[in-house]
Amino acid sequence: MGLKLTWGNLLTFLITVWVTYTCALRTCQPDDFHYEFTECDTSGGRWRVSVPATNTCEGGNPRPPRRTQGCSVSCDPGWYFNVGELECAPCPNGTYSLGGGVRYDSWQVLPTGFTAYTEVFRSAFFFKGRRHGDLNCSEYGWQTKGDVIASKGGPCAAFLMYTVKLVKPGAVTYVYQYTDEDIIFEFEAQDEECQIITEREGAKWPPLTPEGQWKKRTLTLDPGVYVLHWKTIGIEVHGPSRPVLIKSVHISGVAHSSECSPCPEGTFSGPAASECQECQENTYSPRRSSTCEMCNSVTEYAPKRSGKCLPRPPCTSSDYYEVDSACNEKNQTYAVYKWVEPMVCRQSLEGSVSLPPSGKMKPCPPCNAGMHYIPGQGCMFCPRNHFGDGVSPCQACPPNTAPNYGYQYQWWTTLPPNMASTCMSYDDVGCSSPYGWQEAGDHIHTRRGNVDDAYLVLSLKVWGFRGREGFVGGRLMEVGRISFTFELSCTSDCQFVFMEASSKNDAKPLQVWTGSQPRQFYSYLITRNDSYSFSWSFQKVPWEESSIKPRGSLRLFETDVAKIFNINVSNTVEGGASSCLPCFQPHPVTPSPQQAQAAAGCIPCPAGHYIEKNSTECTPCPPNTVVTDPLPYGPESCLPCGPGLVAPDHLSCGAQCHLKVGNYTYDLTNISSPRSLTAGTLFTSSGTKFYHVFNISICGNTTVNCSNNISYSLDGEPASNTVISRVCRFTLVPGVEGVIEGGHTGKLATQSVSLGDHLVGYSTNTTLMNISVIDEFINPYPAVSPDLHFFYTAPQSTRACPSGRATTLTLRCDPEQPGSGKVVLPTQCPDGTCDGCNFHFLWSSAYACRQCAYEDLTTVHGECVQGFQKVHYITPSHCRHEHAKEGRLVPCSVRLSFLVEVIVLSAVCVALLPCLLLFCLWKKNQRLEYKYMKLVAKESSKDGMMELPPAESCALDDGEEEEVQFSKQPPRGLLGKFKQHKVVATEGRGLLMDSHAPLTLTSKDQLT
């Protein structure tokens, strides 16, 4: 049977041949192979083998395998491991090698080996977006910014990880900038057994750095595999945070490097170099250069570390500035114009401007108030106990007056003695001068010639204030005040920050302005007496917008400028005085040597007194008032304490533990000790738990403290890891260790904050000075013993709480809670706060009940034993009495209670009343009978009747009948008979009783 050829079969055959031909791999050539090493075997060696690239070729003649002795080979810095010769060789020109190390200092993209990710907290503590699942954590993670990698904290946890294997002892070194204490910044090295390396104290918790400055941290490591973690967590998430920046990471002790790294542009190196050198100004170098090339000095310029030269533009008025010359011996000056350094413009170009000629001689501006001019030295502060207006020489204060010291700067010919200026940049090459501000007569402004992202900082040192800090009437007292007038002129989103740092607290921003700002006045109240450093920082381009590789120039916003016209600080202990204040004058007596020596100063009034304005004598203030002014004039200086608070020393207001509210008395002595409360456990999305701990004090002079066991201190300044207040809170992270006293480690305690520096007052009302108790803790049925509410405030402003923080503590009487009772948080806000600024606590205890009054108690007397009996007092549930349970012994008493006595007396009276009535009737009957007998005897004597002889017989004779007649029925009762019956004569021998006639006996009738 013959083969039938068709067009379809032919097409199929051709396609099959084409696919077979094209899919077949070519034969490998010698250049297609590269060397790789096998894993270390049990004999302690490994093989070097030649392998081609995947899916490029097959077959060929690879070089034979070669065995090496030892699994770890490391070369010195400047050398690399030549895998062909299996030995170390020097790096050629234009390259460098760290030997057994790696360095990462370019962050255009995330380098190979690094991993970055974020987590979101699942907690009721955070309020913006976290409850609704709409929070995007990508903007809060580690972000590459060219020269740096940055993390700005925020409501997410950001992690940067790198895994490395060390073949010999080495170290990890990183350069960072960390200026925001609202961010937790943590570094740790985890070994292959998942153990955290904490060899060196402070290595886990990098300290804060001053604004714009870099710090280097190094942790030594033993050979092994490590996972390096850099982690940031933002706690205060209600305002923008200043980012944590990492500039470079250097790891030594790793395996050999098989090749040298090329030097980046703007740098160069010679043979066997371990690092590349920077090119200086007006020089440049491309990538992998061994030298720097010069630019054309006439037509071109180049900043430090440039990869190419830039053309010089024509000079404009923005390229020079005016400054007054130093005052000469005649106190005269003149205007001088100078080019901005480094000078990058070209004067020979068409349209270029030249420097204006110097100005004419003019008088120097006067010195500032409190200062005077000294030839050759300039303006200096007046001597102690002197004052001056800045124009005339200083004068001594009159007797019985004191200088009113302060800083009053409005003329800027030179920087005052307690001020300084500086310029700082990320790469240390962006500042044309170490000074960031320039004096200009009636103002001081930022210097030009610096890169756009440089920090231009002006600082002022204040050694202390004369006022005494305090809290009265719900507000902090003023110990001093700083104010200034400024102006911003910007074409970019420039940033102007006013910051404060003290010996007890790290630097923190007080106010931030962005973009152009018209001339305006700003004042800040100082309430804590301490030494301070105030700073003004200006940055043309914030870090989010800065690019490390400029678009043609590093100075795109050269004309952006900040100006400060005047700075005033009042009530200081140093400085200059523009006036003297009158003092208290004691009664005229012979002054002591000390008083005579202080004649030019002030003799202070005793505590709790003020100075009468007319007589300048000391007058006592009313009770429970506080005086904080060092020279209190007038009764308005006596400031009343809050509701219920007392001030026995007139220095500070406080609450005693024995309180009287209205008609009720409370004794809180048994619960006056500080109380600690742990809130519910919170978790991150990865399962890491943390919680907050609260410390509370209610009465007396007791305070509480919350301490961190990680260091946030600035170099050279005391650490401020403890917060002392009435109510405070800190964050505890179990399972994560922090350094505590003695160098030991324990649970991480951080982010200590004050929730109540001062007790505003206490009351049974639920609102006091705009501080309200949460509705959940308001008792809807007020008991006989009402709740007692304590109101605290921490008035220091923060980004999260511009008005400060406030706390309410509700004391509730609960007999079922013995001892110190229990403290609970609101169920609707399980972390104590619903907005992050107002905190609420409910303290239930039997000791929170009011004291019982005598009428509240029920008294029970026990059995009398040996002349004594025990008296027990039964208290109702709404109050408490100190002798209610144990009772007390008293001498025996037979006296009954008043109620019993009344009942017994009433019963006796009721029983005696009938007897008394019967006796009275009997006595009256006896008197009537006596009167009756007397009446009978009297009537008989009147009628001349003889006295009747005694009866011989009372019976009738035989045959005689009794004849007695009654006129009517005799009345009842003995008395009625006496009054109504009469004896009359009748016929016969008998007697007839007539009720209307008296009884009469005659001689004719005989009574027998």
Side-chain angles (χ1 to χ4, degrees), residues 282-304:
N282 296 325
T283 63
Y284 74 98
S285 66
R287 178 182 172 89
R288 199 186 292 267
S289 296
S290 59
T291 59
C292 294
E293 301 294 334
M294 293 292 298
C295 296
N296 187 316
S297 60
V298 178
T299 60
E300 296 175 331
Y301 78 99
K304 289 183 179 180

Side-chain angles (χ1 to χ4, degrees), residues 649-924:
D649 55 0
H650 292 280
L651 297 178
S652 62
C653 299
Q656 298 178 341
C657 293
H658 292 271
L659 311 178
K660 186 172 181 61
V661 183
N663 297 324
Y664 299 142
T665 303
Y666 296 83
D667 184 6
L668 307 180
T669 305
N670 293 319
I671 54 176
S672 61
S673 300
R675 183 65 183 269
S676 182
L677 170 66
T678 301
T681 304
L682 309 174
F683 293 90
T684 67
S685 60
S686 63
T688 302
K689 67 178 181 179
F690 66 98
Y691 47 86
H692 294 114
V693 179
F694 302 89
N695 292 330
I696 306 171
S697 171
I698 59 172
C699 65
N701 296 323
T702 306
T703 58
V704 295
N705 66 78
C706 295
S707 300
N708 302 330
N709 55 18
I710 62 175
S711 175
Y712 282 102
S713 62
L714 291 171
D715 291 341
E717 296 187 9
S720 57
N721 290 337
T722 300
V723 172
I724 300 177
S725 63
R726 289 281 187 174
V727 184
C728 64
R729 183 202 69 192
F730 63 93
T731 303
L732 202 61
V733 184
V736 179
E737 295 181 343
V739 179
I740 59 178
E741 294 183 2
H744 300 88
T745 58
K747 295 180 179 179
L748 164 62
T750 183
Q751 293 298 313
S752 297
V753 296
S754 174
L755 306 182
D757 291 328
H758 308 279
L759 177 62
V760 179
Y762 59 86
S763 173
T764 55
N765 298 324
T766 59
T767 301
L768 179 64
M769 296 183 182
N770 297 323
I771 306 175
S772 299
V773 178
I774 194 171
D775 293 340
E776 180 182 341
F777 287 167
I778 297 178
N779 192 350
Y781 307 104
V784 181
S785 182
D787 293 343
L788 189 60
H789 308 289
F790 288 77
F791 300 87
Y792 304 85
T793 181
Q796 293 293 333
S797 176
T798 64
R799 293 197 304 271
C801 305
S803 301
R805 298 182 177 91
T807 299
T808 64
L809 173 63
T810 300
L811 278 181
R812 179 163 295 172
C813 174
D814 188 354
E816 302 298 327
Q817 295 292 335
S820 60
K822 67 176 182 179
V823 183
V824 298
L825 300 170
T827 56
Q828 59 183 356
C829 307
D831 213 42
T833 177
C834 296
D835 57 6
C837 299
N838 296 282
F839 295 79
H840 308 277
F841 304 91
L842 174 62
W843 192 336
S844 301
S845 172
Y847 291 120
C849 300
R850 67 175 177 86
Q851 294 288 93
C852 292
Y854 183 77
E855 56 270 14
D856 295 324
L857 303 176
T858 300
T859 307
V860 178
H861 292 78
E863 181 182 0
C864 185
V865 179
Q866 297 180 354
F868 289 91
Q869 61 182 170
K870 202 166 190 178
V871 179
H872 297 271
Y873 300 95
I874 301 177
T875 62
S877 61
H878 59 267
C879 65
R880 51 184 290 264
H881 193 270
E882 59 181 355
H883 302 299
K885 293 183 179 180
E886 65 274 12
R888 60 190 180 95
L889 288 176
V890 297
C892 293
S893 175
V894 296
R895 180 178 177 181
L896 300 176
S897 65
F898 177 74
L899 180 60
V900 175
E901 289 178 353
V902 171
I903 294 175
V904 172
L905 182 61
S906 300
V908 172
C909 292
V910 172
L912 292 178
L913 185 61
C915 298
L916 181 62
L917 181 60
L918 187 60
F919 176 76
C920 292
L921 292 177
W922 179 79
K923 289 291 292 182
K924 191 170 185 179

